């Protein structure tokens, strides 16, 4: 009845096409080799050659364009919290898209408000705290950087601290916070004022804060990109006290560790250690990866009204951030994690997996929490292991020459976890003798 006069019923139907399977009309079937050849001619080379062409997923499994099956132990780099094509998440996104997919931030929507409330609840943020939504982790950290800068400008504190080994994203502000020289160098000059302190060194932090001219300290509870390195016990707790005394904000990047990855909603309480109370929350928490189970969304939580007020009307914004579809995806993710008791399962599954890994020959150290796991090998074979694992039907990641990272879907079953442990000695063997590829 409300459709434009020119259309009538048939145009109303056109405006609501069936949801089923139109992708095959847009992309025709092809082999992996053909897709990779086309990739080479059409995609910017920033990611190197893709390891496989993936066409389908279900739970913790994915399939490539040649029909080969893989157990996904990387989960889109800690993104596919509920695995692939999760039925509830898919149906919530689909129905939201079929109802209202995007509005600008001149407007709000029920899913946006409900998600903000839910995030404030699960992070135990006090009254006066607020959320800001983005589309990625780097954007959440850009917003955090702006909060730090405003705080610094208001209080004559031009310096911002981050840690060696830090990864906070690739956009210019987040890149200034990221430590790796190779990522930074080509893009200098970066936004000024950022210094990197030795990892886990409280004396260095104490010294850096002594002059009272630091606006903020950015930290990850567990550094993911350097191979899953948790902050030393006591560091975060001390950093909370020291930053508070120095009038500096504590900004915790939980983009990789948040939303159940470690078996808690946030990794902060565990890394903080005994004595953590919500009153000891950081001033700012950033989230992204697992929040939407694969649908792009990031978030920043400003803890308390003082921090929330630092970015006022007109001071920051985003076109897509927090739209109805993305916030519906995140709501469905949080609801599912909660209603299925997944956090407890992540803790037990992760513990068992770390224990089993420690018993594998050539494994020298196992780190991490929940289902964010890094392990070291006594040989520089990590890259070859990634290839051997693919041949054997497993997706893993090598953040360093002797280090493997696992960040599987939180729904990983015990049988799936066991199947990797069973296959691992063969994968390590195959990686030591490259050339004889194929461990099947
Ligand atoms: C992945 C990651 C980011 C960047 O997120 P993008 O969505 O890739 O922009 C920032 N911080 C941490 C800790 C991350 O793991």
């Amino acid at each position: 009845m409300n459709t434009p006069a020119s259309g009538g019923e048939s145009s109303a139907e056109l405006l609501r096409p069936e949801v089923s399977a139109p992708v095959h009309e847009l992309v025709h079937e092809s082999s992996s080799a053909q897709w990779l050849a086309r990739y080479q001619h059409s995609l910017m080379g920033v990611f190197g050659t893709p390891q496989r062409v993936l066409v389908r997923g279900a739970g913790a499994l994915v399939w490539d364009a040649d029909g080969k099956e893989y157990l996904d132990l990387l989960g889109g780099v800690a993104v596919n919290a509920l695995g692939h094509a999760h039925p509830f998440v898919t149906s919530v996104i689909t129905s939201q898209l079929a109802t209202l997919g995007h509005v600008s931030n001149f407007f709000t929507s029920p899913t946006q408000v409900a998600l903000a409330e839910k995030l404030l609840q699960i992070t135990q943020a006090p009254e006066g705290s607020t959320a800001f939504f983005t589309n990625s982790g780097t954007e959440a950290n850009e917003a955090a950087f702006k909060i730090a800068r405003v705080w610094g400008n208001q209080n004559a504190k031009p310096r911002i601290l981050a840690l060696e080994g830090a990864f906070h994203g690739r956009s210019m502000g987040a890149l200034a916070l990221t430590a790796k020289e190779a990522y930074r160098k080509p893009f200098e000059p970066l936004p000024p004022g950022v210094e990197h302190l030795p990892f886990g060194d409280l004396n260095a932090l104490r010294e850096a804060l002594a002059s009272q001219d630091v606006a903020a300290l950015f930290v990850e509870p567990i550094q993911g990109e350097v191979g899953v390195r948790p902050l030393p016990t006591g560091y975060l707790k001390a950093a909370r006290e020291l930053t508070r005394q120095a009038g500096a904000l504590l900004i915790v990047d939980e983009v990789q560790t948040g939303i159940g990855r470690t078996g808690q909603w946030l990794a902060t309480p565990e890394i903080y250690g005994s004595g953590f109370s919500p009153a000891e929350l950081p001033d700012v928490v950033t989230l992204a990866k697992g929040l939407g189970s694969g649908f792009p969304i990031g978030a920043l939580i400003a803890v308390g009204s003082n921090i929330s007020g630092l970015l006022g009307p007109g001071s920051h914004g985003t076109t897509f951030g927090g739209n109805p579809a993305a916030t519906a995806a995140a709501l469905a993710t949080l609801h599912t994690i909660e209603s299925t008791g997944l956090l407890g399962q992540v803790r037990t599954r992760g513990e068992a997996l770390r224990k089993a890994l420690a018993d594998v020959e050539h494994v020298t150290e196992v780190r991490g929490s929940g289902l964010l796991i890094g392990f070291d090998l006594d040989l520089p074979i990590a890259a070859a292991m990634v290839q051997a694992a693919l041949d054997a039907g497993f997706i893993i990641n090598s953040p360093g020459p002797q280090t493997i990272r696992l960040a599987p879907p939180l729904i990983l079953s015990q049988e799936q976890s066991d199947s990797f442990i069973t296959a691992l000695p063969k994968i390590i063997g195959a990686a030591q003798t490259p050339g004889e590829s194929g461990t099947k």
Side-chain angles (χ1 to χ4, degrees):
M1 292 296 147
N2 293 329
T3 48
S6 57
E9 262 177 36
S10 58
S11 101
E13 261 164 54
L14 275 178
L15 291 169
R16 289 193 145 218
E18 282 308 311
V19 188
S20 61
V23 173
H24 292 295
E25 291 170 24
L26 306 175
V27 195
H28 300 287
E29 254 177 66
S30 195
S31 70
S32 286
Q34 287 166 324
W35 282 122
L36 285 175
R38 288 167 63 181
Y39 180 102
Q40 231 70 48
H41 285 96
S42 55
L43 273 292
M44 195 176 282
V46 292
F47 299 109
T49 303
Q51 293 170 357
R52 292 292 188 272
V53 181
L54 300 179
V55 295
R56 189 163 69 85
L61 301 175
V62 290
W63 288 267
D64 72 15
D66 303 327
K68 186 174 163 66
E69 180 183 294
Y70 303 87
L71 179 61
D72 183 1
L73 294 171
L74 187 58
V77 194
V79 166
N80 297 98
L82 299 174
H84 300 273
H86 188 276
F88 183 67
V89 177
T90 303
S91 79
V92 168
I93 296 171
T94 307
S95 81
Q96 183 61 54
L97 277 173
T99 307
L100 184 68
H102 176 81
V103 297
S104 72
N105 280 304
F106 292 121
F107 303 91
T108 187
S109 61
T111 52
Q112 184 182 68
V113 176
L115 178 62
E117 290 172 349
K118 188 73 193 163
L119 283 175
L120 294 173
Q121 181 218 317
I122 65 173
T123 57
Q124 301 185 61
E127 186 64 31
S129 304
T130 53
F132 175 77
F133 292 121
T134 69
N135 314 287
S136 66
T138 204
E139 288 168 82
N141 286 331
E142 288 296 323
F145 196 120
K146 278 191 167 180
I147 286 175
R149 197 64 104 200
V150 168
W151 176 254
N153 288 344
Q154 287 178 0
N155 296 284
K157 294 173 184 289
R159 298 164 64 212
I160 293 176
L161 307 177
L163 300 188
E164 285 171 3
F167 184 83
H168 295 292
R170 303 278 204 154
S171 52
M172 293 297 267
L175 186 57
L177 300 164
T178 292
K180 196 170 177 176
E181 193 64 14
Y183 292 171
R184 301 165 53 89
K185 197 78 192 155
F187 306 104
E188 290 174 348
L190 296 167
V194 180
E195 299 160 39
H196 289 90
L197 302 181
F199 179 82
D201 183 340
L202 275 174
N203 283 331
L205 178 61
R206 216 170 271 120
E207 234 168 79
L209 290 169
S211 43
Q212 306 284 315
D213 57 355
V214 170
L217 167 68
F218 278 77
V219 290
E220 301 151 84
I222 302 171
Q223 291 187 337
E225 299 302 304
V226 291
V228 186
R229 177 165 70 163
L231 281 172
T233 311
Y235 184 93
L236 197 54
K237 185 176 191 162
R240 173 67 289 184
E241 283 161 20
L242 292 170
T243 49
R244 191 163 275 158
Q245 285 161 15
L249 305 183
L250 177 62
I251 298 178
V252 176
D253 177 347
E254 291 238 24
V255 166
Q256 187 157 164
T257 52
I259 312 300
R261 175 54 47 194
T262 66
Q264 315 273 355
W265 285 120
L266 297 180
T268 295
E270 181 190 338
I271 298 301
Y272 191 91
S274 61
F276 178 84
S277 82
E280 300 303 324
L281 275 170
D283 298 297
V284 174
V285 180
T286 56
L287 300 166
K289 289 194 163 83
L291 182 55
S293 281
F295 207 92
I297 181 168
L300 174 148
I301 308 293
V303 178
S305 51
N306 289 345
I307 309 300
S308 287
L310 287 172
L311 294 183
S315 62
H316 193 46
T318 163
T319 297
F320 292 114
N323 84 17
T327 49
L331 268 182
T333 302
L334 298 177
H335 172 83
T336 304
I337 291 174
E338 203 162 49
S339 65
T340 58
L342 205 49
L343 296 179
Q345 183 183 306
V346 167
R347 290 196 293 274
T348 49
R349 197 79 82 234
E351 225 162 87
L353 184 48
R354 283 195 301 280
K355 204 155 164 267
L357 284 167
D359 289 337
V360 174
E361 203 186 339
H362 297 292
V363 172
T364 56
E365 188 180 277
V366 185
R367 295 174 301 273
S369 181
L371 286 172
L372 180 58
I373 297 175
F375 61 94
D376 291 343
L377 300 138
D378 57 6
L379 299 161
I381 53 168
M385 274 179 68
V386 170
Q387 295 309 316
L390 284 168
D391 290 340
F394 298 93
I395 295 175
I396 61 175
N397 167 249
S398 61
Q402 295 188 222
T403 304
I404 296 292
R405 172 175 50 172
L406 307 178
L410 307 181
I411 52 156
L412 185 78
S413 74
Q414 191 56 53
E415 292 71 29
Q416 288 170 330
S417 177
D418 291 344
S419 73
F420 177 64
I421 292 297
T422 305
L424 191 52
K426 256 186 161 174
I427 291 169
I428 291 173
Q432 287 174 261
T433 53
E436 291 170 42
S437 84
T439 54
K440 280 172 73 174

